[in-house]
Amino acid sequence: MTHPPEAGATSAGSATTAAAATTGRRRRLPRDLHPVAWWLWALGLAAAATRTTNPWLLVLIVLVASVTVLARRTDAPWALSFRLYLVLGGVVVLLRVVFRILFGSGYGETVLLDLPAVPLPDWAAGITLLGPVALESLLAGAYDGMRLATVIICVGAANSLADPRKLLASLPAALYEVGTAVVIAFSLFPQLAESVQRVRRARRLRGETGRGIRALRRIVVPVLEDALDRSVALAASMDARGYGRSGATSHRRVTGAFLLMGLLGLVVGSYAYLDTTAPRVLAWPMLVVGLALALGGFLAAGRGVARTRYRPPRWLAADVLTAVTGLVAAVLMTVAARDLVVVLPDPSRVPPLSSLALLACLVGLVPAFATPPPVLGPTTGQAGATDDVAGGEPLARVA
């Protein structure tokens, strides 16, 4: 005989189901991840790329970064700059191969081009200009270029996913002035991408549809003019907000003295640690004193910066997961680097793979599917299109 469920149990089960459904909906709600989490994820992939020249692994890391950017980028202007980093990476690989042809190393047995060698004077001894071009030499140059290009693309992925304004607001007070300069420097490519899009949009509105070198000349000049206008407006907005004028002169002198003495201590300590003939009292003691002085300088610099935070970004489970996947990728690739045949393949043979190296690359794909989708809408794109990194100064200039 089956007994009907009790009323209390029914209500409790319904409440549990409703709570689970509410939790599921909250997990699916769009939100932007912490910018530091994206940077840790990207730097982990970049660190993994520096450990290998295997082209399969490098291409896989680029694919992982590309899929993640396509899945989790917003419609803000800085999110549209990833294509520029891909183009820059391709240019780096091409230049590396061209340098191998110009300054042939004489490496390899499969000669593709037998170019005549150009004699150089004695002061350039050891450098060979042109000469036989071997397939192995070109592949070695391409592998080196792919490694550098992968690092650049990983940095571009972080620059496309992380909000630079939130990143600047997340920095500690001691690094605020340095972070301002770094964030502005990293915002160069997103601003160039935004300028190119605005110029192309303006050309389409005028009915200009030309392509090629002639169209490139009509795009580069307005983009440079727009970049200069942005720089002047950004400098004016930062000056109006008092950047670089915080704190008294004596306070800045004390901070500079602490940082300078700390740097000298670290330099002397590092030299004594590496040179075994130097007195041991200059090794670890100077390193500790230099580090203490540098930390004191940073703390003094932080006290001179007074700022407030409105709704600081929080670290939730998805943010921690994103940062951890980057660190895990770097650690796994470091362990996989013990197999030199896999991570540093011979250009004369087909590069092999290992399961650990593949896992180190694929673990970086987790944030593309395990994190909430980004916030899309007119507010994100329009705010970023007209606001500078310093925070809210309209910089719209249509060429």
Side-chain angles (χ1 to χ4, degrees):
M1 180 176 181
T2 304
H3 298 282
E6 298 181 358
T10 305
S11 60
S14 302
T16 304
T17 305
T22 303
T23 304
R25 286 195 297 269
R26 286 179 179 176
R27 288 177 180 175
R28 292 192 296 268
L29 287 178
R31 73 176 183 88
D32 295 333
L33 296 187
H34 200 289
V36 178
W38 281 127
W39 272 101
L40 290 177
W41 167 80
L43 292 178
L45 290 181
T50 59
R51 303 291 298 179
T52 179
T53 58
N54 192 315
W56 308 126
L57 298 178
L58 295 175
V59 170
L60 188 57
I61 293 176
V62 172
L63 290 177
V64 167
S66 302
V67 170
T68 306
V69 169
L70 293 177
R72 290 296 177 262
R73 71 177 177 181
T74 64
D75 52 357
W78 57 80
L80 306 178
S81 60
F82 187 67
R83 185 184 303 176
L84 292 179
Y85 289 97
L86 292 177
V87 174
L88 180 60
V91 172
V92 168
V93 176
L94 180 62
L95 290 178
R96 197 73 179 88
V97 174
V98 170
F99 282 152
R100 283 279 180 166
I101 297 176
L102 292 178
F103 305 98
S105 60
Y107 168 73
E109 299 178 354
T110 310
V111 179
L112 299 178
L113 294 174
D114 192 8
L115 300 176
V118 178
L120 296 177
D122 296 336
W123 56 267
I127 301 177
T128 304
L129 188 60
L130 297 180
V133 179
L135 176 61
E136 292 81 2
S137 178
L138 295 181
L139 289 177
Y143 293 172
D144 288 340
M146 289 178 64
R147 176 164 57 179
L148 179 57
T150 305
V151 174
I152 294 174
I153 292 172
C154 290
V155 174
N159 216 356
S160 302
L161 294 170
D163 188 343
R165 292 171 298 183
K166 291 183 179 179
L167 177 63
L168 183 60
S170 303
L171 293 176
L175 301 176
Y176 190 67
E177 294 186 357
V178 177
T180 302
V182 173
V183 170
I184 291 176
F186 277 120
S187 302
L188 172 65
F189 267 87
Q191 290 182 0
L192 285 179
E194 182 190 355
S195 298
V196 170
Q197 290 179 357
R198 291 160 59 187
V199 171
R200 294 178 63 182
R201 191 183 308 120
R203 292 184 71 248
R204 285 197 299 268
L205 292 175
R206 295 168 185 162
E208 300 179 6
T209 58
R211 296 182 179 180
I213 302 299
R214 299 179 62 181
L216 181 64
R217 185 183 59 184
R218 296 182 179 180
I219 292 176
V220 169
V221 175
V223 168
L224 293 178
E225 183 182 358
D226 188 58
L228 291 176
D229 290 343
R230 283 174 175 270
S231 302
V232 173
L234 178 60
S237 65
M238 295 179 69
D239 184 67
R241 288 174 170 83
Y243 280 88
R245 289 183 294 179
S246 60
T249 305
S250 59
H251 176 77
R252 307 186 81 181
R253 289 177 179 173
V254 172
T255 303
F258 267 99
L259 292 176
L260 182 60
M261 290 189 296
L263 179 62
L264 289 176
L266 291 176
V267 170
V268 173
S270 301
Y271 177 80
Y273 176 76
L274 297 176
D275 188 2
T276 56
T277 61
R280 290 298 88 189
V281 70
L282 296 179
W284 283 110
M286 289 300 295
L287 283 175
V288 173
V289 171
L291 184 62
L293 291 175
L295 291 177
F298 279 117
L299 292 177
R303 291 181 179 178
V305 177
R307 60 193 179 111
T308 59
R309 291 182 180 181
Y310 178 69
R311 291 183 179 179
R314 296 182 302 169
W315 282 84
L316 300 179
D319 308 275
V320 177
L321 176 65
T322 303
V324 168
T325 52
L327 298 177
V328 169
V331 172
L332 290 180
M333 189 60 77
T334 302
V335 177
R338 297 176 180 176
D339 190 356
L340 298 180
V341 178
V342 175
V343 296
L344 300 176
D346 187 357
S348 61
R349 299 179 180 178
V350 177
L353 293 173
S354 67
S355 57
L356 187 59
L358 289 175
L359 180 61
C361 300
L362 293 177
V363 73
L365 198 60
V366 174
F369 303 98
T371 57
V375 179
L376 302 176
T379 55
T380 305
Q382 291 177 2
T386 56
D387 294 355
D388 62 0
V389 177
E393 187 69 17
L395 295 176
R397 299 285 191 277
V398 178

Coordinates of all heavy atoms in Angstrom, one line a residue, residues 268-322:
V268 N 73.1 44.4 -5.7 CA 74.3 44.0 -5.1 C 74.2 42.6 -4.6 O 75.1 41.7 -4.7 CB 74.7 45.0 -4.0 CG1 75.9 44.4 -3.2 CG2 75.1 46.3 -4.5
G269 N 73.0 42.3 -4.0 CA 72.8 40.9 -3.5 C 72.8 39.9 -4.5 O 73.3 38.8 -4.4
S270 N 72.1 40.2 -5.7 CA 72.1 39.3 -6.8 C 73.4 39.0 -7.4 O 73.8 37.9 -7.7 CB 71.1 39.8 -7.9 OG 69.8 40.0 -7.4
Y271 N 74.2 40.1 -7.5 CA 75.6 39.9 -8.0 C 76.4 39.0 -7.1 O 77.1 38.1 -7.5 CB 76.3 41.2 -8.2 CG 77.7 41.1 -8.7 CD1 78.0 40.9 -10.0 CD2 78.8 41.3 -7.8 CE1 79.3 40.8 -10.4 CE2 80.1 41.2 -8.2 CZ 80.3 40.9 -9.5 OH 81.6 40.8 -9.9
A272 N 76.4 39.3 -5.8 CA 77.1 38.5 -4.8 C 76.6 37.0 -4.8 O 77.4 36.1 -4.5 CB 77.0 39.1 -3.4
Y273 N 75.3 36.8 -5.0 CA 74.8 35.5 -5.0 C 75.3 34.7 -6.2 O 75.6 33.5 -6.1 CB 73.3 35.5 -5.0 CG 72.6 34.2 -5.0 CD1 72.6 33.3 -3.9 CD2 72.1 33.7 -6.3 CE1 72.0 32.1 -4.0 CE2 71.5 32.5 -6.4 CZ 71.4 31.6 -5.2 OH 70.9 30.4 -5.3
L274 N 75.4 35.3 -7.3 CA 75.8 34.6 -8.6 C 77.3 34.5 -8.6 O 77.8 33.6 -9.2 CB 75.3 35.4 -9.8 CG 73.8 35.5 -9.9 CD1 73.4 36.3 -11.1 CD2 73.2 34.1 -10.1
D275 N 78.1 35.5 -8.1 CA 79.6 35.4 -8.1 C 80.0 34.7 -6.8 O 79.9 35.3 -5.7 CB 80.1 36.8 -8.2 CG 81.6 36.8 -8.4 OD1 82.2 35.7 -8.5 OD2 82.2 37.9 -8.5
T276 N 80.5 33.5 -6.9 CA 81.0 32.8 -5.7 C 82.2 33.4 -5.0 O 82.5 33.1 -3.9 CB 81.2 31.3 -6.1 OG1 82.2 31.3 -7.1 CG2 80.0 30.7 -6.5
T277 N 83.0 34.2 -5.8 CA 84.2 34.9 -5.2 C 83.8 36.1 -4.4 O 84.7 36.6 -3.6 CB 85.1 35.2 -6.3 OG1 84.5 36.2 -7.2 CG2 85.5 34.0 -7.1
A278 N 82.6 36.6 -4.4 CA 82.2 37.8 -3.7 C 82.0 37.4 -2.2 O 81.7 36.2 -1.9 CB 81.0 38.4 -4.2
P279 N 82.2 38.3 -1.3 CA 81.9 38.0 0.2 C 80.5 37.6 0.4 O 79.6 38.2 -0.2 CB 82.3 39.3 0.9 CG 83.1 40.1 -0.1 CD 82.7 39.7 -1.5
R280 N 80.3 36.6 1.2 CA 79.0 36.0 1.4 C 78.1 37.0 2.2 O 76.8 36.9 2.1 CB 79.1 34.7 2.2 CG 79.7 33.6 1.4 CD 78.9 33.2 0.2 NE 79.3 33.9 -1.0 CZ 78.6 33.9 -2.1 NH1 77.5 33.2 -2.2 NH2 79.0 34.7 -3.2
V281 N 78.7 37.9 2.9 CA 77.9 38.9 3.6 C 77.1 39.8 2.7 O 76.1 40.5 3.1 CB 78.8 39.7 4.6 CG1 79.7 40.7 3.8 CG2 77.9 40.5 5.6
L282 N 77.5 39.9 1.4 CA 76.8 40.7 0.4 C 75.8 39.9 -0.3 O 75.1 40.5 -1.2 CB 77.8 41.3 -0.6 CG 78.9 42.2 0.0 CD1 79.9 42.7 -1.1 CD2 78.3 43.4 0.6
A283 N 75.6 38.7 -0.1 CA 74.6 37.9 -0.8 C 73.2 37.9 -0.2 O 72.5 38.9 -0.4 CB 75.1 36.4 -0.9
W284 N 72.9 37.0 0.7 CA 71.6 36.9 1.2 C 71.2 38.1 2.1 O 70.1 38.7 2.1 CB 71.4 35.6 2.0 CG 71.2 34.5 1.1 CD1 72.0 33.4 0.9 CD2 70.0 34.2 0.3 NE1 71.5 32.5 0.0 CE2 70.2 33.0 -0.4 CE3 68.8 34.8 0.1 CZ2 69.3 32.4 -1.2 CZ3 67.9 34.3 -0.7 CH2 68.1 33.1 -1.4
P285 N 72.2 38.6 3.0 CA 71.8 39.8 3.8 C 71.4 41.0 2.9 O 70.5 41.7 3.2 CB 73.1 40.1 4.6 CG 73.8 38.8 4.7 CD 73.5 38.1 3.4
M286 N 72.2 41.3 1.8 CA 71.8 42.4 1.0 C 70.5 42.2 0.2 O 69.7 43.1 0.0 CB 73.0 42.7 0.0 CG 74.2 43.3 0.6 SD 73.9 44.8 1.4 CE 73.5 45.9 0.1
L287 N 70.3 40.9 -0.1 CA 69.0 40.6 -0.8 C 67.8 40.9 0.2 O 66.8 41.5 -0.2 CB 69.0 39.2 -1.3 CG 69.8 38.8 -2.5 CD1 69.7 37.3 -2.8 CD2 69.1 39.6 -3.7
V288 N 68.0 40.5 1.4 CA 66.9 40.7 2.4 C 66.7 42.2 2.7 O 65.6 42.7 2.7 CB 67.2 39.9 3.7 CG1 66.2 40.2 4.8 CG2 67.2 38.4 3.4
V289 N 67.8 42.9 2.8 CA 67.7 44.3 3.1 C 67.1 45.1 1.9 O 66.3 45.9 2.1 CB 69.1 44.9 3.5 CG1 69.1 46.4 3.5 CG2 69.6 44.3 4.8
G290 N 67.6 44.7 0.7 CA 67.0 45.4 -0.5 C 65.5 45.1 -0.7 O 64.7 46.0 -1.0
L291 N 65.1 43.8 -0.4 CA 63.7 43.5 -0.5 C 62.9 44.3 0.5 O 61.8 44.8 0.2 CB 63.5 42.0 -0.3 CG 62.1 41.5 -0.5 CD1 61.6 41.8 -1.9 CD2 62.1 40.0 -0.2
A292 N 63.4 44.4 1.8 CA 62.7 45.1 2.8 C 62.6 46.6 2.5 O 61.5 47.2 2.6 CB 63.4 44.9 4.1
L293 N 63.6 47.2 1.9 CA 63.5 48.6 1.5 C 62.6 48.8 0.4 O 61.8 49.8 0.3 CB 64.9 49.1 1.2 CG 65.9 49.2 2.3 CD1 67.3 49.6 1.8 CD2 65.5 50.3 3.3
A294 N 62.6 47.9 -0.6 CA 61.6 48.0 -1.7 C 60.2 47.9 -1.2 O 59.3 48.7 -1.7 CB 61.9 46.9 -2.7
L295 N 59.9 46.9 -0.3 CA 58.6 46.8 0.2 C 58.2 48.1 1.0 O 57.0 48.5 0.9 CB 58.5 45.6 1.1 CG 58.5 44.2 0.4 CD1 58.5 43.1 1.4 CD2 57.4 44.1 -0.6
G296 N 59.1 48.6 1.7 CA 58.9 49.9 2.5 C 58.5 51.0 1.5 O 57.7 51.8 1.8
G297 N 59.3 51.1 0.4 CA 59.0 52.1 -0.6 C 57.6 51.9 -1.2 O 56.9 52.9 -1.4
F298 N 57.2 50.7 -1.5 CA 55.9 50.4 -2.1 C 54.8 50.8 -1.1 O 53.7 51.4 -1.4 CB 55.7 49.0 -2.5 CG 56.3 48.7 -3.8 CD1 57.4 47.8 -4.0 CD2 55.8 49.3 -5.0 CE1 57.9 47.6 -5.2 CE2 56.4 49.1 -6.2 CZ 57.4 48.2 -6.3
L299 N 55.0 50.5 0.2 CA 54.0 50.8 1.2 C 53.9 52.3 1.4 O 52.8 52.9 1.5 CB 54.4 50.2 2.6 CG 54.3 48.6 2.6 CD1 54.7 48.1 4.0 CD2 52.8 48.2 2.3
A300 N 55.0 53.0 1.3 CA 55.0 54.5 1.4 C 54.3 55.1 0.2 O 53.6 56.1 0.4 CB 56.4 55.0 1.6
A301 N 54.6 54.5 -1.0 CA 53.9 55.0 -2.2 C 52.4 54.8 -2.1 O 51.6 55.6 -2.5 CB 54.5 54.3 -3.4
G302 N 52.0 53.6 -1.5 CA 50.6 53.3 -1.4 C 49.8 54.3 -0.4 O 48.7 54.6 -0.6
R303 N 50.5 54.7 0.6 CA 49.9 55.6 1.6 C 49.7 57.0 1.0 O 48.9 57.8 1.4 CB 50.7 55.7 2.8 CG 50.7 54.5 3.7 CD 51.6 54.6 4.9 NE 51.5 53.4 5.7 CZ 52.2 53.3 6.9 NH1 53.0 54.3 7.3 NH2 52.1 52.1 7.5
G304 N 50.4 57.3 -0.1 CA 50.3 58.6 -0.7 C 49.2 58.7 -1.7 O 48.9 59.7 -2.3
V305 N 48.5 57.5 -2.0 CA 47.5 57.5 -3.0 C 46.2 57.3 -2.2 O 45.9 56.3 -1.6 CB 47.7 56.3 -4.0 CG1 46.5 56.2 -5.0 CG2 49.0 56.5 -4.7
A306 N 45.3 58.3 -2.3 CA 44.0 58.2 -1.7 C 42.9 58.0 -2.8 O 42.8 58.9 -3.7 CB 43.7 59.5 -0.9
R307 N 42.2 57.0 -2.8 CA 41.1 56.7 -3.8 C 40.0 55.9 -3.2 O 40.2 55.2 -2.1 CB 41.7 56.0 -5.0 CG 42.3 54.7 -4.7 CD 43.2 54.2 -5.9 NE 43.8 52.9 -5.6 CZ 43.4 51.8 -6.2 NH1 42.5 51.7 -7.0 NH2 44.0 50.6 -5.9
T308 N 38.9 55.9 -3.8 CA 37.8 55.1 -3.3 C 37.4 54.1 -4.4 O 37.7 54.3 -5.6 CB 36.6 56.0 -3.0 OG1 36.3 56.8 -4.2 CG2 36.9 57.0 -1.9
R309 N 36.7 53.1 -4.0 CA 36.3 52.0 -4.9 C 34.7 51.9 -4.8 O 34.2 51.8 -3.7 CB 36.9 50.7 -4.6 CG 38.4 50.7 -4.9 CD 38.9 49.3 -4.5 NE 40.4 49.2 -4.8 CZ 41.1 48.1 -4.6 NH1 40.5 47.0 -4.2 NH2 42.4 48.1 -4.9
Y310 N 34.1 51.9 -6.0 CA 32.7 51.7 -6.0 C 32.4 50.3 -6.6 O 32.8 50.0 -7.8 CB 32.0 52.8 -6.9 CG 30.5 52.6 -7.1 CD1 29.7 52.8 -6.0 CD2 30.0 52.3 -8.3 CE1 28.3 52.7 -6.1 CE2 28.7 52.1 -8.5 CZ 27.8 52.3 -7.4 OH 26.5 52.1 -7.5
R311 N 31.8 49.5 -5.8 CA 31.5 48.1 -6.3 C 32.8 47.4 -6.8 O 32.9 47.1 -8.0 CB 30.4 48.1 -7.3 CG 29.1 48.4 -6.8 CD 28.0 48.3 -7.9 NE 26.7 48.7 -7.4 CZ 25.6 48.6 -8.1 NH1 25.7 48.3 -9.4 NH2 24.4 49.0 -7.7
P312 N 33.8 47.1 -6.0 CA 35.0 46.4 -6.5 C 34.6 45.0 -7.0 O 33.7 44.4 -6.4 CB 35.9 46.4 -5.2 CG 34.9 46.5 -4.1 CD 33.8 47.4 -4.5
P313 N 35.2 44.6 -8.0 CA 34.9 43.2 -8.5 C 35.3 42.1 -7.5 O 36.3 42.2 -6.8 CB 35.8 43.1 -9.8 CG 36.9 44.1 -9.6 CD 36.3 45.2 -8.8
R314 N 34.4 41.1 -7.4 CA 34.6 40.1 -6.4 C 35.1 38.8 -7.1 O 34.9 38.6 -8.3 CB 33.3 39.8 -5.7 CG 32.8 40.9 -4.9 CD 31.5 40.5 -4.1 NE 30.5 40.1 -5.1 CZ 29.4 39.4 -4.7 NH1 29.1 39.2 -3.4 NH2 28.5 39.1 -5.6
W315 N 35.8 38.0 -6.3 CA 36.3 36.7 -6.7 C 35.3 35.7 -6.4 O 35.0 35.4 -5.2 CB 37.6 36.4 -6.1 CG 38.8 37.1 -6.7 CD1 39.2 38.4 -6.4 CD2 39.7 36.6 -7.7 NE1 40.3 38.7 -7.1 CE2 40.6 37.6 -7.9 CE3 39.8 35.4 -8.4 CZ2 41.6 37.5 -8.9 CZ3 40.8 35.3 -9.3 CH2 41.7 36.3 -9.6
L316 N 34.7 35.1 -7.4 CA 33.7 34.0 -7.2 C 34.3 32.7 -7.7 O 35.5 32.7 -8.1 CB 32.4 34.3 -7.9 CG 31.7 35.6 -7.4 CD1 30.4 35.8 -8.2 CD2 31.4 35.5 -5.9
A317 N 33.5 31.6 -7.7 CA 34.1 30.3 -8.1 C 34.6 30.3 -9.6 O 35.7 29.7 -9.9 CB 33.0 29.2 -7.9
A318 N 33.9 30.9 -10.5 CA 34.3 31.0 -11.9 C 35.6 31.7 -12.0 O 36.4 31.4 -12.9 CB 33.2 31.6 -12.7
D319 N 35.8 32.8 -11.3 CA 37.0 33.6 -11.3 C 38.2 32.7 -10.9 O 39.3 32.7 -11.5 CB 36.9 34.8 -10.5 CG 35.7 35.6 -10.9 OD1 35.8 36.4 -11.8 OD2 34.7 35.5 -10.2
V320 N 38.0 32.0 -9.7 CA 39.1 31.2 -9.2 C 39.4 30.1 -10.2 O 40.6 29.7 -10.4 CB 38.7 30.6 -7.8 CG1 39.7 29.7 -7.3 CG2 38.5 31.8 -6.8
L321 N 38.4 29.5 -10.8 CA 38.6 28.4 -11.7 C 39.4 28.9 -12.9 O 40.3 28.2 -13.4 CB 37.2 27.8 -12.2 CG 37.3 26.8 -13.3 CD1 37.9 25.5 -12.8 CD2 35.9 26.4 -13.8
T322 N 39.1 30.1 -13.4 CA 39.8 30.6 -14.6 C 41.3 30.8 -14.3 O 42.2 30.4 -15.1 CB 39.2 31.9 -15.0 OG1 37.8 31.7 -15.3 CG2 39.9 32.5 -16.2

